[in-house]
Amino acid sequence: QGRTSADSRSFSIDYKNNCFQKDGKPFQYISGSIHYSRIPREYWKDRLLKMYMTGLNAIQVYVPWNFHETVQGVFNFAGDRDLEYFLNLANQTGLLVILRPGPYICAEWEMGGLPAWLLQKPNIILRSADTEYLKPASEWLAVLLTKMRPWLYQNGGNIISVQVENEYGSYFACDYNYMRHLHTVFRLFLGEDVILFTTDGNTDKEMICGTLEGLYATIDFGTDTNITAAFIRQRRFEPKGPLVNSEFYTGWLDHWGDKHASVETVKVSKMLGEMLFMGASVNMYMFEGGTNFGYWNGKSAISVYFYDYNAPLSEAGDPTDKLLAIRDVIKNFRDIPVGPMPPATPKFAYGFVTLQKVSLLDTLSPQGPVRSQYPLAFEEIKQYYGFMLYRTTLPRDVPEPTPLISPLNGIHDCAYVSVNGVYQGLMERDTALVMNVTGQQGDQLDILVENMGRVNFGSYINDKKGLLGNLILGNDVLTDWSIYPLDIDTAVANGWLQADQSGSAMEAGDGPMIYSGTLKSTGLAWDTFVKLNGWNKGQVWVNEVNLGRYWTQRGPQQTLYVPGPFLSATQPNNITVLELERAPSHRRILFMDRPQLNNTGQKT
């Protein structure tokens, strides 16, 4: 498996000389974070090689539990989830690994990596010693850590240290019994020799609640911080041993509706040099931001994330000026590999594709509806991601515009409302909890609810989706719901959503609708970026891959990254778009050879 003999290999902390020791010699790591779950498998090697050629000697890797155990008890480590293949590629490239298996990872990832099925237990206290949580978490760690043990450095692999939990000090629970339990589990499966560590933010409270005797305490901070003060804080909790910044922020996260985040190159390179000069080991977060494909984005309490992270390697894995500046700093501290930096992957502007309206959404629930007097959450129906359609009828005539209300802010997260197939408008969590409707008794009321990703940080990570409370029309509580879990991804993968050629005259119309078209083969399968000018908000699939969310109105991101491996060079490529609000009359999308990440809003 690409591992070498374990006889003389050791990785440890030298408390006398305040450094790491690798095979008995002082060692300083210069590492970068990379998320295999945000990068197509075909590009893992390319990204790792670029990190190695920058002069890094290690990478830091999160393992998202929900990516590997989406359904309880079913573990998936195949294809894009083949963690051991990724570790092996890193090993062959010459990169050591700092593993961060969680079980909670944050990472601006759906629910911080925790599986949504945990929320079927209504009173579960996540990230605590609550048995409802500890039991499945321990079962997951038993599977994962058993796989990881042969990859530890002293066993011939490349994992030099393993983080326990993640920034636990920033969580309200502050449950030392939970951390002690994890410590025991990690030692049980990984043995006594591996370095186990914690990472926490640069405040006393976070360091107090996140650290534990027997786990090496490290700290994280970015360019807005006084280095000396931060490392003095680490020293208060870890008086001897190496200085470590486990997350040095090279960029920052992007929210829909804000400007594209950026951190100045000159600040990053200056501060990196200062920390390395002090002998600190540093991990840059992120080094390659990657992409939120599918439904894997996290969200904060108020807004939804997308990814690129203004990292040294762009979303498409291309070297940036920031990367070259970082390489120039690293040269002063270690010999960096000789030879050219691998170039940017080739890009191609495939041009316009015109889409046709395909179908209404109610054909996408092959198993039919679940019937319930009151609305049920996604988790109760075991539909964890994507969309669900709630259908009932108007209980009486409403000739005058009458408020439809979610009194308890129970729209999680966006609801698209139609009466008899005619779109009425949308309701949105925290912002739009009332809208007016009219109609007659018995008219069909459809509410398509979109899960926009679960909160991944803070006290609100127990973030259920769907209609979480009753809807009230005037004075009437709406009852007798038919609830359809929509499996759009399977429908796309099975080719059920191809355009009906005769349908080209169908009006674009308002409200949720699926459109499809074909990107003809050109003999090339190069990276490209799709722009949906004049479209509003929705999801895009290329062939059977869900590229993630577009939200052109909110911005700033105006393009979605389409990796070349998702395309066929020889066959027509199926393009599917779920537009939730309103498609433009031109119904065109554009494949460009460069991204657009920083427009806020746009003219249609």
Side-chain angles (χ1 to χ4, degrees):
Q1 292 208 30
R3 298 192 293 274
T4 53
S5 142
D7 294 345
S8 59
R9 294 162 64 100
S10 66
F11 195 89
S12 60
I13 291 173
D14 179 346
Y15 288 98
K16 202 164 76 207
N17 298 302
N18 295 330
C19 64
F20 290 111
Q21 273 205 354
K22 179 171 169 277
D23 304 334
K25 298 191 186 69
F27 181 77
Q28 175 183 32
Y29 70 68
I30 308 174
S31 163
S33 286
I34 174 170
H35 294 162
Y36 63 93
S37 54
R38 283 185 161 112
I39 301 166
R41 174 188 172 116
E42 295 86 346
Y43 279 156
W44 289 349
K45 189 171 184 176
D46 169 78
R47 310 301 195 254
L48 291 166
L49 185 58
K50 286 167 178 163
M51 293 172 82
Y52 177 76
M53 293 305 291
T54 307
L56 303 188
N57 55 13
I59 58 168
Q60 200 194 65
V61 182
Y62 271 139
V63 182
W65 175 9
N66 55 10
F67 192 60
H68 296 281
E69 194 185 358
T70 308
V71 175
Q72 187 167 10
V74 180
F75 300 97
N76 182 352
F77 288 93
D80 282 345
R81 291 166 168 80
D82 191 343
L83 173 56
E84 291 191 79
Y85 175 71
F86 181 81
L87 294 175
N88 198 24
L89 284 176
N91 207 15
Q92 290 169 4
T93 309
L95 291 163
L96 298 165
V97 171
I98 299 148
L99 190 74
R100 305 174 88 186
Y104 161 86
I105 63 169
C106 187
E108 296 75 59
W109 184 265
E110 223 283 334
M111 205 167 149
L114 299 177
W117 47 259
L118 291 168
L119 299 176
Q120 288 173 313
K121 305 282 188 198
N123 301 318
I124 192 167
I125 302 170
L126 302 168
R127 302 178 71 196
S128 80
D130 175 6
T131 336
E132 303 271 27
Y133 170 76
L134 263 196
K135 187 172 179 293
S138 304
E139 286 165 359
W140 156 244
L141 288 170
V143 171
L144 175 66
L145 299 179
T146 302
K147 281 182 177 294
M148 294 298 99
R149 186 165 185 157
W151 289 94
L152 298 177
Y153 184 77
Q154 55 272 28
N155 295 339
N158 53 342
I159 296 173
I160 53 172
S161 61
V162 179
Q163 179 179 287
V164 176
E165 238 276 351
N166 181 64
E167 295 182 327
Y168 189 62
S170 59
Y171 192 56
F172 73 90
C174 196
D175 181 344
Y176 293 114
N177 286 334
Y178 168 54
M179 289 297 284
R180 284 189 199 102
H181 174 88
L182 290 183
H183 184 194
T184 307
V185 170
F186 277 64
R187 281 280 172 241
L188 177 68
F189 288 102
L190 299 178
E192 292 301 319
D193 295 338
V194 65
I195 295 171
L196 299 180
F197 71 98
T198 57
T199 300
D200 282 287
N202 179 23
T203 68
D204 285 351
K205 179 193 175 296
E206 287 170 83
M207 293 296 284
I208 288 165
C209 281
T211 56
L212 189 73
E213 188 72 33
L215 304 176
Y216 191 78
T218 74
I219 198 161
D220 50 31
F221 55 90
T223 53
D224 55 353
T225 304
N226 178 307
I227 299 174
T228 312
F231 281 139
I232 286 172
R233 180 169 274 119
Q234 186 197 350
R235 276 279 170 256
R236 291 223 312 276
F237 291 85
E238 207 58 84
K240 295 279 182 199
L243 297 173
V244 180
N245 184 346
S246 285
E247 290 189 6
F248 171 51
Y249 303 109
T250 57
W252 198 243
L253 37 121
D254 273 321
H255 302 255
W256 289 108
D258 289 351
K259 284 198 174 76
H260 177 51
S262 65
V263 173
E264 289 169 48
T265 294
V266 52
K267 285 186 178 168
V268 171
S269 54
K270 176 173 179 288
M271 196 150 163
L272 176 64
E274 287 169 10
M275 288 188 287
L276 295 178
F277 182 72
M278 296 168 76
S281 284
V282 179
N283 173 69
M284 288 169 266
Y285 190 99
M286 293 292 302
F287 206 85
E288 147 70 298
T291 308
N292 285 329
F293 295 115
Y295 308 113
W296 291 116
N297 66 279
K299 71 187 285 292
S300 71
I302 47 170
S303 64
V304 181
Y305 301 128
F306 56 94
Y307 234 57
D308 161 75
Y309 217 88
N310 189 232
L313 284 169
S314 75
E315 183 181 18
D318 298 339
T320 62
D321 292 345
K322 190 177 280 182
L323 178 123
L324 301 176
I326 286 169
R327 186 174 63 171
D328 285 341
V329 171
I330 295 173
K331 276 179 187 159
N332 301 320
F333 299 93
R334 63 181 300 251
D335 292 337
I336 71 170
V338 180
M341 175 64 64
T345 50
K347 312 291 187 294
F348 193 72
Y350 294 93
F352 283 107
V353 171
T354 302
L355 305 180
Q356 300 185 341
K357 188 157 141 186
V358 181
S359 75
L360 299 167
L361 288 164
D362 48 9
T363 54
L364 300 181
S365 185
Q367 71 277 54
V370 174
R371 300 194 194 278
S372 171
Q373 181 159 21
Y374 299 108
L376 297 171
F378 276 46
E379 295 78 11
E380 293 174 279
I381 295 183
K382 300 191 176 181
Q383 163 94 356
Y384 299 118
Y385 308 107
F387 300 87
M388 217 144 73
L389 180 66
Y390 293 79
R391 175 172 286 170
T392 186
T393 54
L394 297 185
R396 57 184 172 84
D397 289 348
V398 275
E400 299 300 314
T402 302
L404 177 66
I405 307 171
S406 169
L408 298 174
N409 195 12
I411 308 280
H412 284 206
D413 297 295
C414 231
Y416 303 87
V417 181
S418 307
V419 176
N420 280 356
V422 179
Y423 182 58
Q424 306 290 308
L426 68 89
M427 301 170 80
E428 189 178 345
R429 177 180 186 167
D430 300 328
T431 56
L433 302 171
V434 186
M435 59 175 289
N436 285 329
V437 296
T438 55
Q440 294 176 315
Q441 183 173 358
D443 282 357
Q444 181 174 294
L445 175 69
D446 277 350
I447 298 176
L448 179 76
V449 177
E450 175 189 16
N451 165 2
M452 285 161 58
R454 289 179 184 81
V455 172
N456 61 272
F457 181 78
S459 311
Y460 300 110
I461 53 173
N462 54 338
D463 184 17
K464 289 194 170 154
K465 297 302 177 184
L467 295 182
L468 302 192
N470 286 321
L471 290 187
I472 299 179
L473 179 64
N475 298 320
D476 296 304
V477 173
L478 296 176
T479 57
D480 300 320
W481 294 91
S482 297
I483 306 169
Y484 296 83
L486 301 186
D487 191 353
I488 303 173
D489 295 79
T490 298
V492 170
N494 291 339
W496 297 338
L497 299 178
Q498 297 316 300
D500 164 18
Q501 297 311 313
S502 66
S504 56
M506 286 172 82
E507 281 307 303
D510 287 352
M513 198 64 68
I514 290 175
Y515 299 83
S516 86
T518 304
L519 175 62
K520 295 189 171 51
S521 58
T522 55
L524 295 175
W526 286 3
D527 286 5
T528 186
F529 299 89
V530 61
K531 180 169 183 179
L532 291 101
N533 214 14
W535 299 72
N536 279 293
K537 179 191 183 193
Q539 303 269 144
V540 186
W541 289 259
V542 167
N543 294 320
E544 51 201 54
V545 182
N546 186 335
L547 297 180
R549 173 179 290 105
Y550 67 91
W551 201 352
T552 43
Q553 275 175 312
R554 288 267 166 110
Q557 179 176 323
Q558 297 295 321
T559 53
L560 289 174
Y561 172 49
V562 187
F566 293 178
L567 296 169
S568 167
T570 55
Q571 301 290 317
N573 295 282
N574 295 323
I575 312 297
T576 310
V577 173
L578 166 61
E579 167 60 50
L580 293 165
E581 295 179 30
R582 185 187 178 95
S585 53
H586 62 68
R587 285 197 240 162
R588 279 192 320 228
I589 60 174
L590 175 62
F591 288 88
M592 313 169 30
D593 59 4
R594 65 200 58 160
Q596 229 181 310
L597 294 178
N598 50 11
N599 288 21
T600 39
Q602 58 154 38
K603 299 200 166 49
T604 50

